Every structure is written in structure tokens, then in C-alpha cells.
């Protein structure tokens, strides 16, 4: 009975995982067969995960390289359309489609948030809408007295690679701009940009992850 249960479990694991596993019903080898089948399935899953990760990096690299408009240019275009304080800008998919756009978040006035979409090829504004955010006070407090804007932070980080996003990190003790860059080959890196000096340093938290 024990052997039949093990065989059924191994077969189910093989079918669910999509891998190839063979259960051999031999006396005293039930546990070994189960372990072999489980290892086969995990090996197949790891291979698929690695391939998926590589494909995602390739896609992101292609998206970044296809954008003619840089992060600073996208920010400038958004501010021309909607004056205020840019809190973040990101090169991202449009509604999970293959088309990418710059999404720029602008805090206008005391508490009105605008999400402005910028064409990455022409820099034209594709549209905008208001958003509801609950961290306005934190953002205002973090930027109080800061001399480096999001646009300037993006320009500073551009020396490290193609900037695909820049945003304010208003949490914790060390508040800063955070920027993500990507180089040819898909190598990406996160950076911190000082709010007052504009100094760019590697994000140690990202390195530890």
C-alpha cells in the first residue's frame, strides 16, 4: 500500500510540474524513486525559471534601447504639460502591452497628483489623469530643502547607463532619489542620488538582495 501511494504521488508531481519522471516500483526503493522524481521536476522548473528571467532581461533591454527620449527629456515634457514637482518617472509597459511609455508622476499644488504619459519616441504627451496618493505629506517633507530635482537626478545617473526609472525614496532615515540604469547586455543596477549634492552611489540594499 505504501509503495502504491508513493508511485501515485510521484506520477502526480510529474504531470503537474510538466517534467519527466519515472517511478519504479521495486522493493525498498520507494523513497529513492520519489526523491529522484522530485529532483527531476525541480531541475526542470529551475531551468524554465532561468530561461524566463533571461527572456525578461532581454525584453527590458530591448525596451530601454528603443526609447529615443531619455528620462530627463520625458520629465521636462511632463512638466511643460503639467507644472509641479516630479516625484517619479518610469519607462514601463502600457497596460501590460508590448508598447512602452514613460509614466511621469507629478505633484501639483498642495496635494494633486497627475500621471502623465510620454511617448518614448517623440516626447509628446499621450495623456494624463489625476491619481489619489496617501503619501503626499511624506513626499513634501522629504523634498523640503532638497536642491536636486528628479530631472537632475536622472541626468546624474545617466553616467552609469540608460536610466529606465527614477523616483523618490521618502522612507527611512536616508532619503534620496533612486534610479535604475541598464547597460547593453541587460545588466541593470540601482543607484541612490543624494537630494542635496546629486552624488551617485550604488544602492547597497540592491547589492545585498
Amino acid at each position: 500500500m505504501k509503495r502504491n501511494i508513493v508511485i501515485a504521488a510521484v506520477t502526480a508531481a510529474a504531470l503537474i510540474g510538466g517534467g519527466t519522471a519515472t517511478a519504479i516500483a521495486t522493493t525498498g526503493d520507494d523513497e529513492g524513486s520519489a526523491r529522484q522524481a522530485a529532483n527531476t521536476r525541480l531541475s526542470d522548473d529551475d531551468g524554465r525559471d532561468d530561461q524566463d528571467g533571461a527572456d525578461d532581461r532581454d525584453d527590458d533591454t530591448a525596451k530601454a534601447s528603443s526609447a529615443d527620449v531619455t528620462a530627463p527629456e520625458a520629465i521636462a515634457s511632463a512638466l511643460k504639460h503639467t507644472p509641479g514637482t516630479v516625484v517619479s518617472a518610469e519607462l514601463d509597459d502600457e497596460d501590460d502591452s508590448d508598447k512602452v511609455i514613460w509614466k511621469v508622476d507629478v505633484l501639483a499644488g498642495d496635494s494633486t497628483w497627475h500621471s502623465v504619459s510620454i511617448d518614448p519616441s517623440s516626447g509628446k504627451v499621450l495623456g494624463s489623469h489625476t491619481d489619489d496618493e496617501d503619501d503626499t505629506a511624506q513626499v513634501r517633507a522629504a523634498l523640503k530643502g532638497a536642491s536636486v530635482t528628479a530631472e537632475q537626478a536622472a541626468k546624474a545617473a545617466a553616467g552609469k547607463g540608460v536610466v529606465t526609472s527614477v523616483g523618490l525614496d521618502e522612507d527611512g532615515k536616508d532619503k534620496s532619489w533612486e534610479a535604475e540604469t541598464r547597460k547593453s547586455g541587460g545588466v541593470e543596477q540601482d543607484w541612490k542620488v543624494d537630494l542635496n549634492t546629486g552624488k551617485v552611489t550604488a544602492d547597497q540594499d540592491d547589492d545585498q538582495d
Side-chain angles (χ1 to χ4, degrees):
M1 178 61 117
K2 179 181 177 182
R3 181 170 62 251
N4 291 338
I5 292 175
V6 171
I7 294 173
V10 171
T11 304
L15 291 174
I16 294 173
T20 301
T22 302
I24 303 176
T26 58
T27 304
D29 197 33
D30 295 342
E31 293 181 0
S33 298
R35 283 196 298 271
Q36 181 180 2
N39 290 336
T40 301
R41 179 173 59 84
L42 290 174
S43 177
D44 289 344
D45 289 345
D46 290 342
R48 284 193 294 271
D49 290 342
D50 291 342
Q51 183 60 46
D52 290 343
D55 290 342
D56 289 342
R57 287 191 294 272
D58 290 342
D59 289 343
D60 291 341
T61 302
K63 292 173 184 177
S65 61
S66 66
D68 297 324
V69 176
T70 64
E73 292 170 342
I75 292 172
S77 180
L79 286 175
K80 186 176 180 180
H81 178 272
T82 306
T85 301
V86 170
V87 180
S88 68
E90 181 181 11
L91 188 63
D92 199 9
D93 295 340
E94 183 180 23
D95 298 327
D96 296 327
S97 67
D98 291 334
K99 182 180 180 180
V100 296
I101 59 173
W102 281 107
K103 294 181 179 179
V104 184
D105 290 333
V106 181
L107 177 56
D110 294 330
S111 59
T112 304
W113 288 84
H114 298 267
S115 179
V116 185
S117 300
I118 305 296
D119 189 311
S121 298
S122 65
K124 293 181 179 180
V125 174
L126 300 175
S128 66
H129 62 270
T130 57
D131 279 334
D132 293 326
E133 300 288 348
D134 57 6
D135 60 347
T136 303
Q138 286 179 284
V139 170
R140 288 294 188 193
L143 290 176
K144 186 177 181 180
S147 56
V148 176
T149 66
E151 183 177 357
Q152 292 169 333
K155 288 180 179 179
K160 305 295 185 180
V162 178
V163 177
T164 55
S165 71
V166 60
L168 178 67
D169 178 13
E170 73 273 18
D171 298 325
K173 181 179 178 181
D174 299 324
K175 298 173 177 55
S176 65
W177 291 107
E178 289 185 334
E180 181 182 278
T181 61
R182 193 175 299 275
K183 292 184 177 181
S184 59
V187 179
E188 67 176 42
Q189 176 72 52
D190 288 342
W191 307 90
K192 288 184 177 293
V193 182
D194 191 277
L195 291 173
N196 295 308
T197 65
K199 182 180 179 180
V200 181
T201 57
D203 189 340
Q204 298 300 324
D205 293 337
D206 178 63
D207 291 341
Q208 292 175 1
D209 293 341

